[in-house]
Amino acid sequence: MSSVPAVATAFAPASVGNVAIGFDILGFSVNALGDRATVRRTAERGVRIKAINGVVADLPLAAEKNTAGRALLAMSEMLNPDFGFELTLEKGIPLSSGLGGSAASAVAAVVAANALLAKPCSQLELLKFAMQGEAVASGSMHVDNIAPSLYGGLVLTVGIDHPRVKQIPVPPAVRAVVVHPHMFLSTRAARAILKSSVEMKDFVWQTANLAGFISGCYTNDLDMIRESFEDVVIEPQRAALIPGFSEARRAAVSAGALGCSISGAGPTMFAWCLESHALAVREALVIEFAHHGLETDHWITTIEPQGARLV
Ligand code: HSE
C-alpha cells in the first residue's frame, strides 16, 4: 500500500468523434490539447470536486452533475474503496466545441484515480466508468470521444454494455487539420435534431463508406479513404448548425483534403490530408469561418496511438 500514491495527475487528449461516417462509434485523439485531472485521496469516502480551472468556467461542482465527478462516482460505487477522491480539473478543451471536452475530463479523472488504487482497473473498466460521465454531458452513452481519449489514435468501439475497442492504424502520411470556430454548439441540441430513421439508400452508402474508410486505413489506401470519407446521414442534418459549413468543406476539399466533416456534434471541423496540403487546408477552413465572422483556433497534427496518461 505504501507504494500507492496519495495524489496523481493525468492528461487526457481532446478527440474528434465522430469521424464523419462512424457516428457514435469512431473517433481519433488530438494530442495537441486536452484536460488535466488531479485526484487526491481523502479520508472521507465519496467524491468531491475541489476546483475547476482553465479555459472553461462555470461547470457544476456537484459531483453527480459533472462529467468527471460522475465518472469517479461510478468508479467509487463499483469498487467501494475505503477512502474518497478529491478532484481538481484543469480544462484545456473549450466548452461545447465538438472536441470531446466532457469525455477528456471524465477520462483524465478515472486515469488519475486509478493510480491511487492498490489494485488498478483495466482500461476497459476505466472506459465504462468514463462512459457514465459522458452520459451526464450529452444525455446519451456514446463512446466515440471516450475511447480515443483513453486509448489514443483512431479508435472503433463496438457495443455499449460490453464495449469492444479496436485501435485502427492510420496511414502514416495522414495529417489531421482541426479548426475550432469561436461559438458554442450544445451536443444535446445537435443530437436532438437528428431523425430517428434512415432511408435505405443512405443506410447502404453509409455502411459502404464506413467499411471503405476502415479498410482504407488498414491497407494504407488513401484513394479508398478519400472515396469513402462522406457522411450521408448525420452531417447533412447538422450542416445548418455551423455557419458556412458547406463552403468550408468544399474549400478544404479543393485545397487537397482527403475528406472534411464535423468534429463530433460541432462546431469544430476537421479534415484529413497529406502533410503537403495541410497548411492550405487549414487556411481554407479558417478563411471560410472568417467570412462568417468567426475567429478560430486551429491545429495540424499526426494521429498517434497515445491516449490518456499520468503526468
Ligand atoms: N458522437 C457524438 C455526436 C459526439 O456526434 O453526437 C458528440 O459528443
Side-chain angles (χ1 to χ4, degrees):
M1 193 71 177
S2 59
S3 62
V4 180
V7 58
T9 299
F11 169 85
S15 53
V16 168
N18 334 295
V19 181
I21 49 312
F23 182 64
D24 277 1
I25 57 172
L26 187 65
F28 66 85
S29 56
V30 179
N31 270 287
L33 72 167
D35 288 355
R36 266 168 203 265
T38 298
V39 179
R40 188 177 299 277
R41 180 200 304 257
T42 57
E44 193 183 335
R45 290 186 184 206
V47 177
R48 188 176 94 85
I49 302 181
K50 186 180 172 199
I52 302 175
N53 309 310
V55 299
V56 181
D58 299 336
L59 289 174
L61 287 172
E64 68 281 3
K65 294 198 174 133
N66 179 286
T67 56
R70 187 71 201 93
L72 287 182
L73 280 170
M75 191 174 196
S76 172
E77 282 156 15
M78 176 63 80
L79 305 176
N80 198 19
D82 59 2
F83 57 89
F85 298 127
E86 182 194 75
L87 169 70
T88 303
L89 208 51
E90 179 74 28
K91 293 288 301 174
I93 305 172
L95 187 67
S96 299
S97 59
L99 284 165
S102 51
S105 292
V107 167
V110 296
V111 169
N114 201 35
L116 311 187
L117 302 176
K119 270 176 60 183
C121 297
S122 69
Q123 271 197 312
L124 197 55
E125 288 167 313
L126 296 182
L127 179 86
K128 291 182 186 174
F129 297 140
M131 282 165 66
Q132 305 279 336
E134 177 73 301
V136 175
S138 66
S140 84
M141 198 85 114
H142 54 271
V143 278
D144 50 343
N145 292 112
I146 296 277
S149 184
L150 180 61
Y151 287 75
L154 178 65
V155 180
L156 173 73
T157 314
V158 177
I160 291 289
D161 292 336
H162 303 287
R164 284 176 185 276
V165 177
K166 207 61 159 178
Q167 285 172 292
I168 313 265
V170 175
V174 166
R175 298 292 175 270
V177 175
V178 178
V179 177
H180 166 232
H182 293 181
M183 60 174 275
F184 299 103
L185 201 49
S186 134
T187 298
R188 266 179 204 269
R191 292 180 81 81
I193 61 156
L194 298 176
K195 291 183 212 147
S196 55
S197 58
V198 176
E199 278 191 37
M200 180 65 89
K201 69 174 182 12
D202 291 338
F203 167 76
V204 172
W205 276 117
Q206 195 82 346
T207 318
N209 285 348
L210 178 59
F213 186 83
I214 302 273
S215 66
C217 286
Y218 271 107
T219 55
N220 200 6
D221 183 342
L222 296 180
D223 283 336
M224 179 62 117
I225 291 174
R226 186 197 303 274
E227 284 302 312
S228 50
F229 210 125
E230 191 185 358
D231 170 6
V232 298
V233 174
I234 306 297
E235 187 186 293
Q237 298 182 63
R238 285 180 168 169
L241 301 178
I242 304 173
F245 173 81
S246 301
E247 298 92 319
R249 183 180 188 281
R250 235 187 339 265
V253 170
S254 300
L258 297 167
C260 174
S261 188
I262 304 169
S263 172
T268 295
M269 292 181 68
F270 80 98
W272 276 18
C273 58
L274 299 178
E275 188 172 21
S276 50
H277 293 131
L279 286 173
V281 169
R282 183 183 67 182
E283 191 69 1
L285 290 170
V286 168
I287 286 175
E288 289 302 332
F289 279 127
H291 284 159
H292 289 80
L294 288 166
E295 289 184 25
T296 47
D297 301 315
H298 33 78
W299 301 269
I300 295 173
T301 177
T302 52
I303 301 168
E304 306 295 342
Q306 188 188 21
R309 58 246 182 208
L310 293 171
V311 289

